[in-house]
Amino acid sequence: MASISLTQIEMPASPRTLKLVKRERLLVGAHILTAFFALMIGIFMGPFQAFHRSPTFVQYFPTIPVFSYYYQAVTAHGVMNALFFTTFFIIGFMYFVTERSLQRPLRFQQAAWVAYALMFVGLATMLAVLLLEPQRSAVLYTFYPPMIAPAPFYLGLVLLVLGSWIASAILFFTYRDWKREHQNERVPLAVFIMLVTFIMWDVATIGVAIEILFMLLPASLGLLRTVDPQLGRTLFWFFGHPLVYFWLLPAYVSWYTMLPKQAGGRLFSEPLARVAFIMFLLFSVPVGVHHQFSDPGISASSKGLQAFLTLVVSIPSFMTAFNVGAALESAGRNNGAKGLIDWVWKQRWSDPVVAAQLFGMLNFIAGGFSGIINASSQLNATVHNTSWVPAHFHQTLGSAVTLTYISVLYWMLPAIRGRALFSKRMAVAQSVTWFIGMTLFGLAMGEAGLQGAPRRSITSTAPYVTESMRFWLDLTAVSGVILLISAILLYVNIFGTLFLSKQPAPEGEVPITTKSADTTSPLWFERWGIWLGVLALLLLMAYGPVFAETLDFQYGWNIQRYVPSSNAPMP
């Protein structure tokens, strides 16, 4: 497709103004609103799963609405929230940040709509198969073999990934054109982070593409009668752990490049940030095997290397905590803080854009430390496949990432609609209730996991539930009530802004940086071939032995496919 020049397309008068031109409202708005449509489906499944897991709740309310088949809800909750919501949102946010920061239109405008159409068809296909074949499609968010879903389930995922690859190519070509005109300049930090994010995504999705195209989809079509479960799990987690950082790094775009100004401060160190994101790129991709510490087919030496590499990822996370924390301290002191720690409560807590991100960060602290527990091969043996895992997962993705995306929505939705946010007070209340609900959820599910409560199971009627488990599972249902209230507040505000708000959108600024203030980071930080080479070497070291151990054509491929809703092999 031919490129479109700046003179051929309408651009805002200032790249930092909140006002969107029609083209931005259509493209960015389509992605953001579709993302929150997918979230709406998945988000309301969550609290009712907590109700199904609570022995006391089920005792008094034996018939719980919303869904009748538990594992259908688990699958829909994971797929809609973790895959479709995040991917649509990240791509829409990336388009906005890239155009505004680089002060140029996307390299291929038409291709962006092609990518959106592919992903939207993928979303519709996934919803159809989850609705029409709830038991056969209930292969969970991880969709491991030998459980095999109907072919449309995998087709929906293929279309989502294919659309995201086109979107990433648009980012890379737009950046290349900018770099040709600014050879001795450093790209703005927000775009630097987005480049890292989509390089990571493109590499990671190779694993899940191989799993789907050469194992799961052929098996669902009857072309394969047997599969290798361990190979399938390994290919999934080659994708699955970098996926976490694909969700997280766009939230970091807001934390690093937008929140400091929104909170009234400034970023402590942009060069430190660039080092951190290079480390994220190098060390977050080769560590997926730590999700397989319980797999007997992987050697202890491979697991030990994976544990080491996983703990290395905590270093850029601590660098982020320091850098963003220092920015928030400067904001607090600019807002009047004088003492040692009073800058914490001198933040702009009444601003929902700031409050949502701050509450997400607080939950992320707990989620980060619980993740270090998961990274240890010895400690992982205690918490693996218990409710400790979703406790960690929800305090990271479910809280830090989701609340940050919601905070972006709170300033971007008025710009898309052209009307003010329906209720700022409701938005703050939503952030507070989400924080309280997720804090309680993480505590209750984590403690239940330490007592031995399994994850993704209907524990309400299980005979192995002890009294100590029962208390924490009941407390999880309480957190579900709070989170249900928060979800209702979120969507009342969204629909209110779209259809009821009468006030014009504020004429504020988006905290977009169009020229990097960093003059000390070496320009070879943007020599992406270097980092791809180092990443390839690390992947060879980390995954070479694992795949050598996993590929067992004599025994591994003799496992029959199974229909998820029965114990019988597929015909």
Side-chain angles (χ1 to χ4, degrees):
M1 294 182 181
S3 63
I4 298 177
S5 69
L6 281 166
T7 58
Q8 293 176 282
I9 197 161
E10 184 185 9
M11 292 291 288
S14 167
R16 297 174 63 177
T17 181
L18 188 57
K19 185 178 181 181
L20 302 187
V21 298
K22 181 179 180 181
R23 173 184 50 80
E24 287 181 306
R25 288 201 304 271
L26 291 175
L27 183 61
V28 176
H31 284 81
I32 298 297
L33 293 178
T34 304
F36 278 89
F37 168 74
L39 179 68
M40 181 176 65
I41 296 169
I43 201 172
F44 287 106
M45 298 287 182
F48 290 90
Q49 288 176 65
F51 302 157
H52 274 272
R53 288 174 58 87
S54 166
T56 301
F57 198 99
V58 170
Q59 179 181 349
Y60 289 99
F61 302 96
T63 303
I64 300 176
V66 177
F67 56 83
S68 58
Y69 185 56
Y70 177 79
Y71 294 102
Q72 175 196 26
V74 175
T75 304
H77 181 68
V79 169
M80 287 295 114
N81 290 1
L83 296 178
F84 285 92
F85 161 62
T86 54
T87 305
F88 272 101
F89 180 90
I90 290 166
I91 290 174
F93 189 42
M94 178 269 287
Y95 287 155
F96 180 82
V97 167
T98 301
E99 285 198 335
R100 293 301 186 97
S101 295
L102 301 185
Q103 301 183 66
R104 63 188 309 116
L106 299 173
R107 180 68 167 83
F108 301 108
Q109 294 288 325
Q110 298 92 333
W113 282 110
V114 172
Y116 173 80
L118 287 171
M119 295 191 299
F120 187 85
V121 173
L123 171 62
T125 303
M126 180 63 72
L127 286 174
V129 72
L130 288 172
L131 179 64
L132 299 177
E133 296 196 69
Q135 293 187 319
R136 286 197 62 206
S137 63
V139 293
L140 309 181
Y141 149 74
T142 43
F143 46 88
Y144 295 151
M147 293 195 300
I148 302 297
F153 182 96
Y154 304 117
L155 179 60
L157 295 173
V158 167
L159 293 174
L160 178 72
V161 172
L162 182 58
S164 72
W165 284 348
I166 295 173
S168 68
I170 293 170
L171 167 65
F172 299 149
F173 278 109
T174 305
Y175 165 71
R176 185 198 64 177
D177 292 348
W178 179 89
K179 195 65 178 177
R180 285 175 174 174
E181 300 172 6
H182 304 80
Q183 293 184 12
N184 296 318
E185 294 183 27
R186 293 156 185 83
V187 71
L189 180 59
V191 180
F192 185 88
I193 300 172
M194 285 298 186
L195 289 166
V196 170
T197 301
F198 279 89
I199 292 172
M200 183 189 308
W201 168 259
D202 288 347
V203 173
T205 47
I206 294 172
V208 76
I210 294 172
E211 182 196 14
I212 291 175
L213 294 177
F214 295 99
M215 293 182 68
L216 301 180
L217 189 57
S220 70
L221 294 172
L223 303 177
L224 286 177
R225 298 190 63 82
T226 57
V227 293
D228 186 335
Q230 182 165 301
L231 177 59
R233 286 197 301 273
T234 305
L235 288 169
F236 178 87
W237 285 116
F238 183 95
F239 155 78
H241 190 77
L243 175 64
V244 174
Y245 291 92
F246 176 66
W247 304 325
L248 183 59
L249 264 57
Y252 281 172
V253 169
S254 185
W255 292 8
Y256 271 95
T257 69
M258 298 180 177
L259 179 60
K261 182 174 181 180
Q262 291 164 338
R266 63 180 182 84
L267 184 64
F268 175 75
S269 173
E270 188 173 315
L272 183 64
R274 292 177 190 265
V275 173
F277 288 106
I278 291 295
M279 293 185 69
F280 277 127
L281 174 63
L282 297 180
F283 295 108
S284 64
V285 180
V287 297
V289 177
H290 75 242
H291 291 270
Q292 298 175 260
F293 280 156
S294 63
D295 282 19
I298 299 175
S299 67
S301 58
S302 292
K303 293 175 183 177
L305 177 61
Q306 289 284 324
F308 171 75
L309 290 173
T310 303
L311 292 173
V312 171
V313 181
S314 66
I315 295 175
S317 297
F318 282 118
M319 292 165 66
T320 295
F322 173 80
N323 210 346
V324 176
L328 291 173
E329 180 177 358
S330 74
R333 301 208 179 280
N334 289 339
N335 294 334
K338 302 295 184 183
L340 182 63
I341 61 171
D342 61 335
W343 59 269
V344 175
W345 50 85
K346 287 289 186 178
Q347 303 297 327
R348 297 173 179 174
W349 293 99
S350 60
D351 182 349
V353 172
V354 174
Q357 295 178 82
L358 296 180
F359 283 128
M361 289 178 185
L362 291 174
N363 273 138
F364 192 63
I365 293 171
F369 282 110
S370 65
I372 293 176
I373 300 299
N374 297 337
S376 166
S377 180
Q378 293 82 3
L379 294 175
N380 186 274
T382 301
V383 301
H384 178 76
N385 228 24
T386 71
S387 61
W388 171 280
V389 177
H392 159 73
F393 194 74
H394 283 75
Q395 288 184 313
T396 51
L397 170 64
S399 190
V401 172
T402 303
L403 275 177
T404 301
Y405 290 4
I406 290 172
S407 79
V408 173
L409 178 78
Y410 283 151
W411 61 258
M412 187 173 283
L413 183 61
I416 293 170
R417 178 62 181 89
R419 295 286 185 269
L421 190 67
F422 182 66
S423 173
K424 283 192 174 183
R425 288 186 178 181
M426 185 183 297
V428 172
Q430 182 273 320
S431 301
V432 171
T433 50
W434 193 270
F435 168 71
I436 294 172
M438 277 299 176
T439 301
L440 191 59
F441 181 90
L443 171 65
M445 288 286 278
E447 287 292 338
L450 293 177
Q451 299 295 329
R455 64 183 297 200
R456 302 193 294 201
S457 300
I458 308 177
T459 52
S460 56
T461 56
Y464 53 74
V465 171
T466 64
E467 284 303 312
S468 57
M469 276 190 218
R470 183 187 184 98
F471 171 79
W472 295 111
L473 292 169
D474 290 342
L475 194 59
T476 303
V478 175
S479 73
V481 173
I482 299 171
L483 289 167
L484 180 60
I485 294 170
S486 184
I488 292 171
L489 291 175
L490 171 64
Y491 281 93
V492 168
N493 222 347
I494 290 175
F495 286 105
T497 304
L498 290 174
F499 303 111
L500 301 177
S501 178
K502 302 299 183 183
Q503 297 295 323
E507 293 290 338
E509 284 190 350
V510 177
I512 292 287
T513 301
T514 58
K515 185 176 177 62
S516 176
D518 179 11
T519 58
T520 58
S521 297
L523 287 171
W524 50 261
F525 270 12
E526 295 180 48
R527 297 275 300 275
W528 300 105
I530 296 175
W531 308 121
L532 286 173
V534 176
L535 177 58
L537 180 62
L538 289 173
L539 284 171
L540 182 62
M541 293 171 53
Y543 269 100
V546 173
F547 280 113
E549 296 160 358
T550 299
L551 286 171
D552 184 348
F553 293 98
Q554 182 176 2
Y555 300 107
W557 284 89
N558 288 332
I559 307 300
Q560 287 189 315
R561 307 159 299 161
Y562 278 83
V563 178
S565 58
S566 72
N567 292 322
M570 290 183 66

